[in-house]
């Protein structure tokens, strides 16, 4: 399978992880990097979003509550094992992307998305913490794939907040809907979305 197919499988696992309760959700989430490494970035951001409140408490009070420490430690251990299992592929892919992409120009779209999300979200700290690894990722790896992760994460957080019907969010969704028209047309006309691209 190509990277695109493996990425779809990773996203399917993450969607089921978001919908299902308990330990099965964690199992599916941690299985997603085995389909595509890109989901590691999304999982890191989701982890920061999930524990943004205790993180904010730790930054203000300079101490961590024991109950959260007991939850975070196993996740960190499992995440570290997954990362070290993929360390060779991670370094190889990161080096390739860093040679071709990256820089300040690649963080513009994520920063724009963050500013938009801050106008809509009810929890600015969580949104900022969740998107911060992706800003760093875009700077070093380029915005090609990272922008898609940032958009997915932002929509998910706004969805669980019940803010998806905000006019700014709807405007963003209309923009992407219109932008997808030539891509779909090229699939029908040329067999893939990139040949003879209209825009």
């Amino acid at each position: 399978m190509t990277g695109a197919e493996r990425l779809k499988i990773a996203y399917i696992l993450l969607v089921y992880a978001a919908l299902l309760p308990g330990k099965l959700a964690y199992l599916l989430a941690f299985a997603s990097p085995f389909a595509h490494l890109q989901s590691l970035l999304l999982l890191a951001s989701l982890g920061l979003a999930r524990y943004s409140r205790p993180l904010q408490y730790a930054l203000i009070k300079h101490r961590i509550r024991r109950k959260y420490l007991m939850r975070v430690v196993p996740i960190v251990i499992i995440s570290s094992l997954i990362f070290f299992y993929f360390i060779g592929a991670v370094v190889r892919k990161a080096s390739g992307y860093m040679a071709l992409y990256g820089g300040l120009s690649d963080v513009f779209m994520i920063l724009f998305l963050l500013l938009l999300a801050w106008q809509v979200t009810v929890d600015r700290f969580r949104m900022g913490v969740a998107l911060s690894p992706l800003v760093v990722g875009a700077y070093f790896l380029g915005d090609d794939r990272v922008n898609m992760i940032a958009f997915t994460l932002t929509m998910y957080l706004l969805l669980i907040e019940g803010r998806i019907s905000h006019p700014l969010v709807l405007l963003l969704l209309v923009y992407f809907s219109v932008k997808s028209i030539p891509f779909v047309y090229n699939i029908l006309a040329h067999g893939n979305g990139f040949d003879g691209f209209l825009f």
Side-chain angles (χ1 to χ4, degrees):
M1 289 186 291
T2 67
E5 278 70 44
R6 289 186 289 104
L7 183 59
K8 290 181 182 73
I9 293 171
Y11 262 71
I12 289 169
L13 291 172
L14 289 169
V15 168
Y16 277 113
L19 295 173
L20 295 173
K23 295 178 181 178
L24 184 57
Y26 286 102
L27 179 64
L28 291 171
F30 283 118
S32 64
F34 292 93
H36 200 288
L37 283 174
Q38 187 174 314
S39 58
L40 284 173
L41 272 174
L42 185 54
L43 285 176
S45 293
L46 282 171
L48 287 171
R50 172 69 177 81
Y51 292 101
S52 63
R53 193 60 56 229
L55 178 60
Q56 189 176 25
Y57 175 87
L59 290 172
I60 295 171
K61 300 291 185 179
H62 303 292
R63 59 192 178 95
I64 302 173
R65 289 175 176 163
R66 186 176 178 180
K67 66 175 182 178
Y68 290 116
L69 189 62
M70 297 304 291
R71 292 178 191 175
V72 171
V73 168
I75 294 173
V76 170
I77 291 172
I78 295 170
S79 301
S80 299
L81 290 173
I82 293 173
F83 179 78
F84 283 114
Y85 179 82
F86 288 118
I87 188 67
V90 169
V91 170
R92 188 167 58 252
K93 282 183 173 287
S95 299
Y97 279 115
M98 288 172 70
L100 298 172
Y101 309 105
L104 287 174
S105 60
D106 284 314
V107 304
F108 174 76
M109 290 304 295
I110 292 183
L111 290 176
F112 174 78
L113 184 64
L114 178 59
L115 289 173
L116 184 145
W118 267 346
Q119 301 304 311
V120 179
T121 184
V122 297
D123 192 337
R124 288 186 171 184
F125 181 81
R126 178 173 66 178
M127 187 66 72
V129 164
L131 286 175
S132 58
L134 301 180
V135 175
V136 176
Y139 179 81
F140 287 106
L141 304 176
D143 62 0
D144 232 17
R145 294 275 180 89
V146 179
N147 280 350
M148 183 184 70
I149 299 173
F151 177 78
T152 302
L153 178 68
T154 303
M155 291 299 110
Y156 172 72
L157 293 177
L158 293 177
L159 185 64
I160 63 176
E161 289 178 6
R163 303 288 288 170
I164 205 75
S165 60
H166 190 280
L168 286 176
V169 178
L170 294 177
L171 189 63
L172 186 65
L173 293 175
V174 167
Y175 164 75
F176 280 114
S177 296
V178 172
K179 193 174 180 183
S180 71
I181 292 171
F183 191 86
V184 174
Y185 170 81
N186 285 324
I187 292 173
L188 298 173
H190 305 288
N192 73 76
F194 300 100
D195 283 349
F197 207 73
L198 297 178
F199 290 169

